[in-house]
Amino acid sequence: MLLHGGGRCCSHEDEKTRWLAGVDLGAARSVSRVVLRLPAGWGARTQTLSLQAGADGSTLTTVKAAAAYAFDPAADNTVTLTLPATVQRWFRLTVTANSGWPAGQLSEFEVRSS
């Protein structure tokens, strides 16, 4: 099952740590991975990302600790975050660094079940 929260999104250049994108699945669901994309024509870059999740939009816990992920046009500018089995409703992505721009960047945020 594909659960998608889309829309091109960038944080403001003056903000170094940025809550970039969030997805509300409408109900708690089993999730095993999150797929992130940048536009195919963009150059390579590395972004430091972390992922939080929770049953409601205000109480979130980290399900993927901050780490650097490479977005590479040769790999369709796609990054997949594999998660331990979790049942959650809300997901939020935070970007703390980006080698290609002074702010976080994302064009697609897909939350997927097994």
Side-chain angles (χ1 to χ4, degrees):
M1 174 197 312
L2 167 66
L3 305 164
H4 181 255
R8 186 163 293 166
C9 169
C10 292
S11 61
H12 191 272
E13 292 178 22
D14 295 337
E15 298 176 22
K16 299 299 178 198
T17 300
R18 176 71 172 160
W19 172 87
L20 183 62
V23 174
D24 175 1
L25 304 179
R29 298 178 189 254
S30 177
V31 172
S32 60
R33 59 195 163 113
V34 171
V35 179
L36 307 170
R37 290 190 175 87
L38 293 176
W42 286 16
R45 67 202 65 223
T46 299
Q47 296 191 73
T48 302
L49 312 169
S50 63
L51 184 69
Q52 297 79 38
D56 60 50
S58 61
T59 307
L60 303 173
T61 59
T62 299
V63 293
K64 198 71 168 178
Y69 294 92
F71 290 85
D72 185 346
D76 297 323
N77 273 335
T78 300
V79 165
T80 300
L81 307 179
T82 303
L83 309 175
T86 186
V87 176
Q88 304 291 347
R89 175 178 172 169
W90 293 83
F91 289 83
R92 181 174 70 190
L93 183 72
T94 302
V95 179
T96 54
N98 182 353
S99 67
W101 190 254
Q105 298 171 301
L106 185 66
S107 61
E108 290 186 38
F109 182 1
E110 298 174 4
V111 177
R112 295 178 177 242
S113 63
S114 305

